[in-house]
């Protein structure tokens, strides 16, 4: 599969690196307003390819996206001092207004994979601007938060993260919801598994993990300026599911008819991902508190989307 990446900064280039090294994409095209950056990133990644795959990676313009099965949208502007979140959204909406049209002119049949923050609202913006059906505009959503959740649980239980089935729902941000009530490990519930392993799930442990997951990005940004390895790998994993029509389940953000009692809203819930994009939405059973928290999370996102005004 040919993959385009618009935005050759740390997130876009790391996604390109993961795609190339794992051999998920046959061809990768980096597009950036800063052509010098795109060329440099492509050349650097190309020097790593012989160690892992036969992928071809190069820099190009929008016309070079023709035939791309997936295009990652990783471009955007940073928040200025004193700028409100809504003002930032307005500026990023204008960036997307230029990008989305250019992408679809060259690759009208592509799936858009949104990685620009705030990812949920930018997924809404990309959907509205593109006119594509929602199943073809996928925000990375809470895939990274979910990976963090599974990793922490696996570490506590002494098992592989791949054995843990757990999801973070709603916003990719402070209002996200850890769905503790439906976590399973192997074939049994979290609490049963933890009891059998002699590693109980206490209230203090839950609170500690919740804080750890919510604050992970803040810690990483404080330490090195930005996060990119985790989301780069996550984007590559989503593209592998699309390229191979694997129909795997991921917690991604898509414009959805209804989530937790809120109509026409973006937000992450588990979804089946295959060659056509989102094939099905999976609505998990939640306890009363989790459902209420998810309702608040997506209601906040709907309000932000309404303020964008598309």
């Amino acid at each position: 599969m040919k993959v385009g990446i618009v935005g050759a900064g740390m997130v876009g280039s790391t996604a390109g690196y993961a795609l190339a090294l794992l051999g998920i994409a046959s061809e990768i095209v980096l597009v950036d307003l800063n052509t010098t950056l795109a060329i440099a990133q492509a050349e650097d990644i190309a020097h790593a390819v012989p160690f892992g795959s036969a992928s071809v990676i190069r820099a190009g313009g929008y016309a070079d996206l023709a035939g791309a099965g997936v295009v990652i949208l990783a471009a955007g502007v940073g928040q200025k001092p004193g700028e409100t979140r809504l003002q930032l959204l307005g500026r990023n909406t204008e960036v997307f207004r230029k990008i989305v049209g250019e992408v679809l002119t060259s690759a009208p049949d592509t799936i858009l994979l949104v990685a620009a923050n705030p990812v949920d609202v930018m997924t809404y913006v990309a959907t509205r601007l593109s006119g594509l059906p929602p199943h073809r505009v996928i925000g990375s959503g809470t895939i990274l938060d979910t990976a963090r959740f599974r990793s922490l649980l696996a570490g506590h239980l002494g098992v592989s993260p791949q054995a843990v089935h757990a999801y973070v729902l709603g916003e990719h941000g402070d209002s996200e919801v850890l769905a503790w009530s439906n976590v399973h490990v192997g074939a049994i519930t979290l609490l049963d598994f933890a009891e059998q392993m002699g590693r109980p799930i206490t209230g203090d442990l839950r609170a500690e993990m919740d804080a750890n997951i919510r604050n992970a990005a803040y810690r990483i940004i404080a330490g090195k300026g930005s996060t990119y390895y985790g989301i780069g790998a996550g984007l590559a994993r989503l593209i592998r599911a699309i390229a191979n029509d694997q129909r795997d389940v991921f917690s991604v953000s898509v414009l959805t008819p209804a989530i937790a009692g809120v109509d026409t809203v973006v937000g992450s819930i588990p979804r089946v991902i295959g060659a056509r994009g989102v094939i099905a939405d999976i609505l998990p059973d939640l306890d009363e508190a989790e459902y209420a928290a998810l309702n608040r999370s997506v209601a906040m996102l709907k309000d932000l989307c309404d303020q964008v005004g598309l």
Side-chain angles (χ1 to χ4, degrees), residues 114-263:
V114 181
N117 277 320
V119 69
D120 301 292
V121 183
M122 296 314 298
T123 300
Y124 171 83
V125 169
T127 305
R128 291 304 193 205
L129 291 177
S130 68
L132 293 175
H135 72 267
R136 286 176 54 197
V137 185
I138 305 169
S140 57
T142 58
I143 56 168
L144 184 52
D145 313 275
T146 291
R148 291 166 177 159
F149 191 18
R150 293 178 178 181
S151 179
L152 288 174
L153 282 171
H156 173 69
L157 296 170
V159 298
S160 163
Q162 286 74 34
V164 179
H165 305 282
Y167 293 94
V168 177
L169 312 175
E171 180 201 15
H172 171 54
D174 294 341
S175 72
E176 64 190 22
V177 180
L178 277 64
W180 286 95
S181 65
N182 57 29
V183 176
H184 284 72
V185 185
I188 64 176
T189 66
L190 171 63
L191 294 182
D192 285 345
F193 189 92
E195 182 179 357
Q196 291 186 41
M197 295 292 289
R199 302 187 180 189
I201 304 295
T202 65
D204 287 344
L205 179 71
R206 287 176 53 148
E208 180 183 349
M209 285 191 183
D210 189 287
N212 196 327
I213 293 164
R214 289 179 197 279
N215 295 322
Y218 297 119
R219 289 194 308 274
I220 295 168
I221 290 169
K224 68 174 195 172
S226 60
T227 66
Y228 38 87
Y229 290 127
I231 190 58
L235 293 168
R237 181 65 184 88
L238 288 174
I239 292 174
R240 187 170 76 180
I242 294 168
N244 297 332
D245 196 22
Q246 290 179 320
R247 305 191 175 215
D248 290 319
V249 179
F250 299 98
S251 54
V252 292
S253 189
V254 174
L255 184 60
T256 309
I259 300 175
V262 180
D263 294 334

Side-chain angles (χ1 to χ4, degrees), residues 169 177 181 258-262 284-298:
L169 312 175
V177 180
S181 65
I259 300 175
V262 180
D285 290 328
L286 302 174
D287 65 27
E288 186 174 337
E290 290 166 348
Y291 185 89
L294 181 57
N295 171 271
R296 291 191 297 270
S297 181
V298 295

Side-chain angles (χ1 to χ4, degrees), residues 85-86 89 121 299-309:
R85 191 179 190 188
L86 188 58
L89 282 171
V121 183
M300 179 273 295
L301 289 172
K302 183 176 177 65
D303 182 61
L304 276 175
C305 292
D306 288 344
Q307 290 182 63
V308 171

